[in-house]
Amino acid sequence: MPDETASVRLDLWLWAARFFKTRALAKQAIDTGKVEIGGQRAKPARGVRVGDALQVMRLDERFEIEVLALRDVRGPASIAQTLYRESETSRLAREQARAQRAAERAGYHPPDTKPDKRARRLIRALGDIDAS
C-alpha cells in the first residue's frame, strides 16, 4: 500500500516524467512560472503527490495533467507516460495548435536564391515607404 504522504521534488518528477530534458531545465521552467500546481506557482523543491493537478507550459504547448505515480529516476518513455494522465481538452488543444502552426508554415516558401540587384532595390523602396 503506497504511503499517502510520499512526495517527490517537482523538478525531479518533471525530469523523470520526461517533460524536460534535464533537471536544470525543469527548475528554470518552474522558476519562470511555466509550471503550476493546483493553479498556483510552485517552487522546484515543492513535493508532488499522487492526485496533484499540474499545468506545464513547454515551448508553445500547454499540458494539463494529473499525477498518477511518483518516480525520481528517469527511465524509458513508456514508463514515464504512466506517471501522469493528460486531460482530453488539453490534448485536443495541443493538437489543434500544432495543426494551426503547420498550416501557417505551409503558406511560406523561402526564395531559392538571393535577391538580384533589381529585387534589392524594390525591397529597399518598400522599406522606405514603411518608414515614412
Side-chain angles (χ1 to χ4, degrees):
M1 182 169 165
D3 187 13
E4 294 175 7
T5 61
S7 66
V8 175
R9 283 180 60 108
L10 178 59
D11 58 348
L12 193 58
W13 187 86
L14 289 170
W15 168 73
R18 294 182 167 257
F19 280 99
F20 298 98
K21 210 168 214 177
T22 65
R23 188 171 165 192
L25 288 175
K27 182 182 181 308
Q28 181 182 13
I30 296 166
D31 287 338
T32 57
K34 302 224 181 333
V35 179
E36 297 178 352
I37 297 180
Q40 297 180 352
R41 286 182 67 167
K43 293 184 178 181
R46 185 189 189 289
V48 176
R49 293 180 176 82
V50 174
D52 283 349
L54 300 175
Q55 291 87 31
V56 180
M57 286 290 296
R58 186 179 66 190
L59 298 176
D60 294 332
E61 298 179 320
R62 179 182 173 93
F63 295 88
E64 294 176 5
I65 60 172
E66 178 188 354
V67 178
L68 297 179
L70 300 177
R71 189 172 170 100
D72 59 356
V73 179
R74 190 172 172 105
S78 59
I79 292 176
Q81 291 172 352
T82 63
L83 299 179
Y84 62 90
R85 175 178 45 233
E86 184 177 9
S87 69
E88 192 66 26
T89 57
S90 170
R91 189 182 62 74
L92 290 174
R94 281 189 317 105
E95 288 176 359
Q96 289 174 352
R98 186 178 299 138
Q100 182 179 0
R101 286 192 305 270
E104 289 170 355
R105 282 192 311 268
Y108 172 72
H109 299 288
D112 295 331
T113 60
K114 290 172 54 175
D116 60 358
K117 185 174 185 176
R118 181 173 181 267
R120 283 194 306 271
R121 286 181 177 167
L122 288 171
I123 292 169
R124 202 171 300 125
L126 286 174
D128 290 341
I129 291 172
D130 292 338
S132 44

